[in-house]
């Protein structure tokens, strides 16, 4: 049976991307996507490759020469040294412009391998095979590829669309529970920015549910939401900014914690603060603010041990955000559940004072 699929079109460079959804897709990747491909490099990390590379390699070797390239797991390896090592290994294996690359792993592998695909021989065909909840519902979709430098996260990158994304929810069964929260935050965010029905479903679930592995029923819908937004605004001129909800303060909290607080937890805290700001600015109604906060707080069991974070530092990091000018912070804020505030000129950003941000952090306590 052919996997269920969702087609995306990116008019900017007339590119297409198909998202395939199916269990056990790892051993059923559609081979017709690789017709005319001379060889394939599978890029994965040292944890995921042990679990899944054999099945994918076996499947792809039915159609092309396949080479496995393994990087060390973790954000600290998402850098130019790893890019150079992967690209050199691809050249060692004789990959050329007709070759393809598959990123098999979480967001770290996806961001890095996508970046390599965008610059190897000035760009080769590539595919995403996301294996974390975050990568399935967020990072694999939309073509943002990047690596970190000593100046911070994602400082070097490109917009480069994969031709296909393979969402195989069965690979989530091996994912450590502590990784779930990162994708969970994005699922909740998607419901707040674009889907009041999904919000209602999430709201009706007991808090215990959010500690479990089985969030599959929300994966497909969250992918659809992200896909429909990035298709309309690939390079984040306006609508795509709504996906940054919770991220302005979330990134600042993550940086101030020196990355001891995960990205997902930081974004959940960021959304709680930014929802309060929207309420204070009169953009979000009290009832919707309270419902949203109640939903986000259902994840609080994931926060049993939280590092001490200095509010002063969060504020300093928030002011450093590249979107800001002259001490005023820019954010994308919700207007009601399922709808983001369009703001001036429909740019989906609002200006927020330093003082209001500081007060939202006080409230978080
Ligand atoms: N490009 C985008 O639009 C975008 C969006 C959000 C986040 N990101 C990036 O994504 C990265 C974070 O991604 P992440 O949260 O997936 O983390 P990750 O890639 O570091 O993966 C987390 C851990 O889970 C392990 N793992 C992955 N899949 C597994 C599986 N199925 N079973 C067992 N273990 C598994 C990995 O080896 C790793 O140790 C960050 O670099 C962030 O900047 C990018």
């Amino acid at each position: 049976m052919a996997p269920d699929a969702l087609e995306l079109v990116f008019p900017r460079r007339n590119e297409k991307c198909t998202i395939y959804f199916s269990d056990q897709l790892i051993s059923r990747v559609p081979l017709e996507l690789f017709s005319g491909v001379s060889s394939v490099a599978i890029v994965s990390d040292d944890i995921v490759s042990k679990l899944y590379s054999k099945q994918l390699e076996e499947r792809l070797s039915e159609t092309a020469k396949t080479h496995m390239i393994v990087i060390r797991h973790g954000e600290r390896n998402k850098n130019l040294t790893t890019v150079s090592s992967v690209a050199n290994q691809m050249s060692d294996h004789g990959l050329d412009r007709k070759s393809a690359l598959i990123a098999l792993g979480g967001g770290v592998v996806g961001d890095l391998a996508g970046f390599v695909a965008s610059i190897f021989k000035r760009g080769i065909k590539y595919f995403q095979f996301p294996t974390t909840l975050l990568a399935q519902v967020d990072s694999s979709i939309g073509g943002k590829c990047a690596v970190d430098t000593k100046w911070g996260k994602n400082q070097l990158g490109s917009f480069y669309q994969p031709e296909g994304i393979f969402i195989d929810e069965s690979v989530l069964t091996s994912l450590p529970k502590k990784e779930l929260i990162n994708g969970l935050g994005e699922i909740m965010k998607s419901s707040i920015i674009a889907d009041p029905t999904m919000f209602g479903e999430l709201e009706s679930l007991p808090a215990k549910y959010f500690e479990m592995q089985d969030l599959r029923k929300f994966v497909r819908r969250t992918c659809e939401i992200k896909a429909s937004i990035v298709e309309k605004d690939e390079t984040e001129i306006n609508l795509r900014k709504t996906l940054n909800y919770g991220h302005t303060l979330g990134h600042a909290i993550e940086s101030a914690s020196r990355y001891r607080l995960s990205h997902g937890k930081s974004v959940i805290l960021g959304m709680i603060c930014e929802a309060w700001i929207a309420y204070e600015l009169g953009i979000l109604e009290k009832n919707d603010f309270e419902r949203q906060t109640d939903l986000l707080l259902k994840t609080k069991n994931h926060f049993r041990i939280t590092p001490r974070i200095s509010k002063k530092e969060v504020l300093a990091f928030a002011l450093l955000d590249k979107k800001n000018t002259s001490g005023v912070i820019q954010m994308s804020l919700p207007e009601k559940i399922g709808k983001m505030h369009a703001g001036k000129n429909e740019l989906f950003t609002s200006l927020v004072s330093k003082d209001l941000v500081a007060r939202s952090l006080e409230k978080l306590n």
Side-chain angles (χ1 to χ4, degrees):
M1 200 176 71
D4 178 20
L6 183 69
E7 280 267 318
L8 276 72
V9 178
F10 294 94
R12 187 175 64 108
R13 287 199 300 223
N14 198 21
E15 288 167 330
K16 280 193 182 143
C17 165
T18 308
I19 309 181
Y20 299 88
F21 299 88
S22 174
D23 262 11
Q24 307 304 331
L25 198 49
I26 193 110
S27 41
R28 300 199 299 133
V29 164
L31 295 181
E32 62 274 17
L33 296 173
F34 297 87
S35 73
V37 165
S38 54
S39 43
V40 183
I42 302 174
V43 179
S44 190
D45 73 26
D46 49 350
I47 295 176
V48 177
S49 61
K50 286 194 189 103
L51 297 166
Y52 300 110
S53 66
K54 203 158 173 259
Q55 287 145 282
L56 189 58
E57 235 181 321
E58 269 175 20
R59 174 68 173 162
L60 291 171
S61 51
E62 287 175 36
T63 186
K65 250 194 227 153
T66 306
H67 307 279
M68 198 58 223
I69 297 176
V70 179
I71 66 170
R72 286 210 195 124
H73 71 276
E75 184 73 29
R76 74 170 67 93
N77 299 299
K78 200 178 104 174
N79 56 33
L80 276 182
T81 310
T82 315
V83 166
S84 155
S85 158
V86 170
N88 280 329
Q89 289 180 66
M90 286 164 65
S91 295
D92 291 345
H93 289 307
L95 268 79
D96 57 24
R97 294 189 75 178
K98 290 223 155 141
S99 301
L101 181 154
I102 298 194
L104 172 69
V108 165
V109 168
D111 279 13
L112 179 131
F115 185 56
V116 173
S118 75
I119 54 175
F120 186 76
K121 313 275 181 197
R122 297 208 171 82
I124 59 168
K125 195 194 248 268
Y126 87 111
F127 299 86
Q128 291 276 3
F129 203 119
T131 60
T132 60
L133 184 62
L134 173 99
Q136 293 197 344
V137 298
D138 187 13
S139 63
S140 64
I141 305 168
K144 275 190 183 175
C145 311
V147 292
D148 309 335
T149 70
K150 69 172 187 179
W151 295 100
K153 264 181 79 110
N154 302 331
Q155 292 294 307
L156 294 176
S158 50
F159 282 101
Y160 195 62
Q161 297 300 336
E163 284 196 17
I165 302 171
F166 306 115
I167 310 273
D168 176 351
E169 292 165 24
S170 53
V171 300
L172 296 181
T173 49
S174 57
L175 190 67
K177 274 196 175 172
K178 69 177 172 59
E179 296 296 338
L180 272 185
I181 184 86
N182 297 315
L184 179 57
E186 294 301 330
I187 289 172
M188 289 181 167
K189 181 197 78 182
S190 299
S191 77
I192 296 166
I193 68 174
D195 190 341
T197 309
M198 180 160 81
F199 182 93
E201 278 179 57
L202 290 166
E203 197 178 31
S204 67
L205 293 168
K208 202 84 199 126
Y209 188 92
F210 298 110
E211 291 172 48
M212 299 185 325
Q213 214 84 11
D214 202 2
L215 292 148
R216 295 175 187 212
K217 69 184 276 208
F218 301 108
V219 169
R220 165 87 198 220
R221 182 62 194 128
T222 309
C223 290
E224 284 169 357
I225 292 171
K226 175 138 189 199
S228 76
I229 292 174
V230 297
E231 232 183 351
K232 289 186 195 110
D233 176 25
E234 185 186 359
T235 55
E236 204 171 297
I237 292 162
N238 40 51
L239 186 64
R240 190 166 180 166
K241 290 190 176 143
T242 60
L243 294 168
N244 294 334
Y245 175 45
H247 284 62
T248 305
L249 290 183
H251 281 155
I253 291 169
E254 191 182 357
S255 303
S257 80
R258 304 285 178 264
Y259 299 99
R260 278 172 297 155
L261 200 60
S262 75
H263 176 75
K265 288 184 192 174
S266 306
V267 168
I268 287 173
L269 297 178
M271 283 192 278
I272 293 175
C273 292
E274 292 181 18
W276 182 81
I277 289 170
Y279 165 59
E280 279 292 299
L281 289 174
I283 292 173
L284 181 68
E285 278 194 12
K286 188 163 189 244
N287 184 43
D288 277 8
F289 161 64
E290 285 171 354
R291 284 179 66 201
Q292 198 190 124
T293 311
D294 287 347
L295 174 66
L296 294 168
L297 287 177
K298 283 190 184 183
T299 62
K300 66 173 185 254
N301 275 348
H302 286 276
F303 288 84
R304 269 179 212 125
I305 305 161
T306 303
R308 277 187 188 284
I309 302 165
S310 141
K311 285 189 273 315
K312 241 184 168 170
E313 278 198 72
V314 176
L315 195 57
F317 277 111
L319 283 164
L320 277 179
D321 191 290
K322 40 190 180 302
K323 300 188 287 296
N324 303 325
T325 42
S326 18
V328 178
I329 298 167
Q330 292 200 39
M331 289 178 190
S332 200
L333 296 172
E335 189 171 295
K336 61 181 185 181
I337 285 161
K339 185 167 189 262
M340 293 299 277
H341 182 58
K344 207 175 161 196
N345 300 331
E346 305 245 313
L347 288 174
F348 293 95
T349 44
S350 302
L351 301 180
V352 180
S353 71
K354 237 165 75 175
D355 174 57
L356 199 55
V357 171
R359 280 168 49 218
S360 77
L361 295 168
E362 289 292 338
K363 280 266 165 198
L364 193 61
N365 264 1

